[in-house]
Amino acid sequence: QVQLVASGGGSVQPGGSLRLACEVSGFPIDRSCVGWFRQAAGKERERIASIYRPGGNTFAADSVKGRFTISRDNAKNTLFLQMNTLQTEDTAAYHCATGWPDFDYWGQGTQVTVS
């Protein structure tokens, strides 16, 4: 079975930083699409960053471009999201996902609160 465990969320002040991690077991993320999504209360889920394939195209939503950086450690099969200059609007539950060719596997998420 495939499991994704996200961690690193918490409460920070505006302008602060957090680094989220997503440990994946049972699925090789180096051969897959990986991404981070978030969903704020009362809003639809938003894809904020992704890597389509190794050495392939990356994506960053306009709302986080220049502030958030997605990366992965293939040896550890772990996905990361470095979040800088956090704003109150970034408050949301953050979820990691992976799969090929679709995002078939999802983590439970980690809460980020900026206030």
Side-chain angles (χ1 to χ4, degrees):
Q1 51 184 301
V2 179
Q3 292 184 325
L4 289 77
V5 180
S7 62
S11 298
V12 297
Q13 298 181 25
S17 298
L18 286 173
R19 185 173 184 256
L20 306 184
C22 175
E23 298 182 56
V24 182
S25 60
F27 193 83
I29 64 171
D30 63 329
R31 305 173 186 175
S32 310
C33 182
V34 295
W36 286 96
F37 299 74
R38 69 184 182 186
Q39 187 166 22
K43 299 182 179 179
E44 66 180 15
R45 188 172 61 197
E46 175 189 20
R47 180 163 64 102
I48 57 174
S50 61
I51 305 172
Y52 294 121
R53 59 188 181 275
N57 294 331
T58 61
F59 166 83
D62 289 340
S63 58
V64 305
K65 192 174 298 182
R67 299 188 297 118
F68 292 9
T69 303
I70 186 173
S71 63
R72 57 179 158 187
D73 185 329
N74 292 331
K76 297 181 179 180
N77 215 44
T78 300
L79 179 67
F80 300 95
L81 183 68
Q82 179 66 47
M83 305 185 295
N84 297 326
T85 319
L86 284 160
Q87 304 167 3
T88 57
E89 294 81 6
D90 297 317
T91 296
Y94 285 72
H95 300 261
C96 54
T98 188
W100 185 264
D102 301 315
F103 291 112
D104 297 320
Y105 308 108
W106 291 78
Q108 294 300 306
T110 183
Q111 178 68 36
V112 173
T113 301
V114 186
S115 62

